[in-house]
Amino acid sequence: MTNLEALIWDVDGTLADTERDGHRVAFNSAFSQAGLEWHWDVEMYGQLLKVTGGKERIRYYLYRFNPAWERPSDLDRFIAELHRHKSEVFVSLMKEGRIPPRSGVIRLIDEAAAAGLRLAIATTTTPANVDALLEQFFGRAGKHPFEVIAAGDVVPAKKPAPDIYLWALEKMGLKPEACVAIEDSHNGLLAATSAGISTVVITLNGYTANEDFTGASLVVDQLGDSENPACVVAGELNGAAVVDVGMLRRLHAVS
Ligand code: XBP
Ligand code: MG
């Protein structure tokens, strides 16, 4: 049996509920700044989340919801520029402290670091977004406990492809069997499991609650805190009230 050595965290939807009131708002703001009459409402954004990556999501929106819009001759460049503005808005929203960490996230990260587990991030989001979020949650740049941040376009294929997890594992010099992944979405689960990580914990959120999590080791509504216990949707907390390091070690040992 391989010992548990590291936790690899997704960001959007897992560390914080960033999508509805963060990324979606930032996309809409970039659209209106660019003079586009596009608006992604809460329901439509749920459908657009099928596609990970903001640039990829804009392209999918045009194909699926706005085929009649007259494309500029260099669509790639147009999308990249629009997305750059969107990222600036997202970073400002994070810096305003509008989006808090999810329940139990900071507790589990602190516990894991104190227990000697290594910590990494594997996300499709833009690196500047992760930096802004970590600075907001852990204080000035570099104070957070993550040794590797795998984010955005460092790999060409985004989740559900395994690439971002494989990149993180390679940087850490770790085998997938030594890790637990913490995710919130079907695409994230697929990315982690297809990278060979068989222990995956899912924390559901409003957009992902009805997705298929077959193959996850544990599905909960949140990691939980002492006054706010985790509620199990699939799998076992084995007597624990929250997702903590001890229960993750037990889960990993049997996965
Ligand atoms: C997150 C994403 C990202 C964000 C937007 O997925 O799909 O695209 O929605 O970020 P996951 P960017 O949580 O599975 O990593 O606009 O910076 O791409
Ligand atoms: Mg996510």
Side-chain angles (χ1 to χ4, degrees):
M1 194 191 75
T2 314
N3 282 332
L4 175 62
E5 290 183 55
L7 304 186
I8 307 185
W9 295 76
D10 171 49
V11 173
D12 294 306
T14 301
L15 292 185
D17 263 324
T18 49
E19 293 292 4
R20 194 189 70 178
D21 300 327
H23 290 295
R24 187 184 68 88
V25 171
F27 280 112
N28 284 329
S29 166
F31 299 156
S32 80
Q33 274 176 47
L36 296 163
E37 286 178 7
W38 306 351
H39 180 78
W40 292 358
D41 64 25
V42 171
E43 195 277 326
M44 180 197 275
Y45 194 66
Q47 298 184 51
L48 293 169
L49 279 173
K50 267 196 278 203
V51 174
T52 61
K55 294 187 286 295
E56 294 80 351
R57 191 167 299 145
I58 294 169
R59 185 177 293 280
Y60 175 66
Y61 160 75
L62 288 173
Y63 159 80
R64 171 88 172 69
F65 294 98
N66 203 349
W69 183 71
E70 198 177 324
R71 272 76 173 148
S73 56
D74 192 343
L75 184 61
D76 284 351
R77 201 167 144 190
F78 178 84
I79 290 176
E81 188 59 14
L82 195 54
H83 186 256
R84 204 174 57 72
H85 284 131
K86 175 261 164 181
S87 301
E88 285 172 6
V89 178
F90 181 84
V91 165
S92 313
L93 291 175
M94 268 328 299
K95 286 189 172 162
E96 284 166 25
R98 292 226 218 151
I99 300 171
R102 290 193 65 185
S103 148
V105 162
I106 304 298
R107 170 191 58 76
L108 180 56
I109 289 170
D110 287 347
E111 277 176 26
L117 291 177
R118 297 167 66 187
L119 294 160
I121 277 177
T123 174
T124 68
T125 207
T126 301
N129 299 346
V130 185
D131 293 346
L133 182 144
L134 293 180
E135 205 170 323
Q136 191 61 36
F137 294 175
F138 293 94
R140 69 182 156 71
K143 263 191 89 192
H144 62 76
F146 294 96
E147 83 178 65
V148 165
I149 297 178
D153 296 330
V154 292
V155 291
K158 292 186 174 157
K159 298 175 188 178
D163 305 34
I164 198 73
Y165 274 98
L166 295 173
W167 194 93
L169 289 168
E170 211 220 302
K171 288 273 173 221
M172 297 178 94
L174 278 175
K175 292 202 169 76
E177 307 86 67
C179 302
V180 167
I182 306 177
E183 277 283 356
D184 71 305
S185 70
H186 174 71
N187 281 330
L189 171 66
L190 287 181
T193 52
S194 45
I197 299 174
S198 56
T199 313
V200 182
V201 173
I202 301 292
T203 55
L204 298 174
N205 65 53
Y207 275 129
T208 64
N210 296 317
E211 292 186 351
D212 177 10
F213 291 112
T214 309
S217 311
L218 175 69
V219 182
V220 285
D221 64 337
Q222 57 187 344
L223 297 172
D225 280 317
S226 50
E227 281 157 27
N228 201 10
C231 196
V232 176
V233 175
E236 296 276 344
L237 276 173
N238 290 319
V242 298
V243 176
D244 59 23
V245 170
M247 83 57 53
L248 283 181
R249 286 197 198 280
R250 293 193 291 279
L251 190 71
H252 175 258
V254 297
S255 293

